[in-house]
Amino acid sequence: MKVNMHEAKSKLSALAEKVWEGETVVIAKAGKPYVDLLPHKEGRRPRKPGRFKGKIRIAEDFSQTPEDVIKAFEGEN
């Protein structure tokens, strides 16, 4: 949805509700896109190293790439 600056001022509450529900709202100035109206998202939680320890298994042959795959990447079909 694209609205002009004047309309955005007078309908900010309704536009904010649409954005919160997932709609994209672009506010235009002189007919050109000027700003995007976005919902507020809480900051990212701090990373906790090791939280997947013991939950991920890597196959024994993980680092062994089959010849046909290597040839395909190198363009040698």
Side-chain angles (χ1 to χ4, degrees):
M1 164 183 273
K2 185 175 167 183
V3 296
N4 65 40
M5 193 69 75
H6 179 72
E7 183 179 1
K9 285 186 213 179
S10 62
K11 296 183 179 180
L12 183 59
S13 184
L15 293 172
E17 194 62 37
K18 288 180 183 278
V19 167
W20 191 252
E21 293 170 355
E23 190 166 338
T24 302
V25 175
V26 177
I27 300 173
K29 186 174 185 180
K32 295 181 182 176
Y34 191 65
V35 295
D36 295 326
L37 192 58
L38 303 170
H40 173 74
K41 294 184 181 177
E42 290 297 325
R44 295 176 65 180
R45 294 182 305 194
R47 185 175 177 272
K48 182 180 173 190
R51 65 181 177 188
F52 291 113
K53 187 174 184 175
K55 296 179 182 179
I56 298 174
R57 188 182 69 78
I58 297 176
E60 292 290 326
D61 64 347
F62 175 77
S63 62
Q64 299 169 356
T65 307
E67 273 305 310
D68 60 325
V69 173
I70 293 171
K71 286 182 179 181
F73 272 99
E74 293 176 349
E76 300 175 18
N77 291 339

